[in-house]
Amino acid sequence: MLHALLGGEFLPDHLRAEMLEAVDSDWAETDRYGLGIGEITALMGRQRSPCGPAWGHIGFSVGYTAMALSSEDGKRQVVICANGSAGSQEAEDSFWDTAGRLAWHLYCL
């Protein structure tokens, strides 16, 4: 879905450009937020992408985490879903460090 959306298959160029006109975000999940999509350079402000920003979403609540990321041109994607709860700040930090290494490794291949 992100491949088609960002690759220009769903929206005309002017609407795709409008969607990606992002503003700075104060959410930990995104650096900037556009129309329904976030620009992400570091997962939860921790593990930074070595190959540039991604667009997509990170969602989480008690018991799950899901992230779907794509390059702006739609040529690279990564989706990670995980079950479980961190339980402590140390465990949460460890999870985001590990998830970040995995996500960026796969995304930047």
Side-chain angles (χ1 to χ4, degrees):
M1 183 73 124
L2 284 173
H3 171 74
L5 179 65
L6 291 166
E9 295 176 36
F10 285 152
L11 298 173
D13 289 344
H14 73 282
L15 291 179
R16 182 185 170 280
E18 188 174 338
M19 176 183 71
L20 298 178
E21 281 185 28
V23 296
D24 289 343
S25 169
D26 60 358
W27 299 335
E29 304 91 273
T30 59
D31 299 292
R32 300 181 330 123
Y33 204 77
L35 295 175
I37 194 165
E39 182 182 40
I40 300 163
T41 60
L43 292 185
M44 299 303 285
R46 299 183 68 77
Q47 292 293 320
R48 189 163 269 326
S49 168
C51 61
W55 289 87
H57 286 277
I58 299 173
F60 50 89
S61 188
V62 176
Y64 83 93
T65 298
M67 61 187 83
L69 306 172
S70 176
S71 58
E72 187 173 328
D73 61 9
K75 293 183 178 178
R76 291 183 305 204
Q77 290 84 41
V78 64
V79 175
I80 296 176
C81 298
N83 289 333
S85 292
S88 70
Q89 187 62 50
E90 182 179 329
E92 185 174 325
D93 291 347
S94 177
F95 170 81
W96 285 112
D97 287 342
T98 302
R101 283 191 299 276
L102 175 62
W104 297 129
H105 172 76
L106 295 172
Y107 177 75
C108 295
L109 283 177

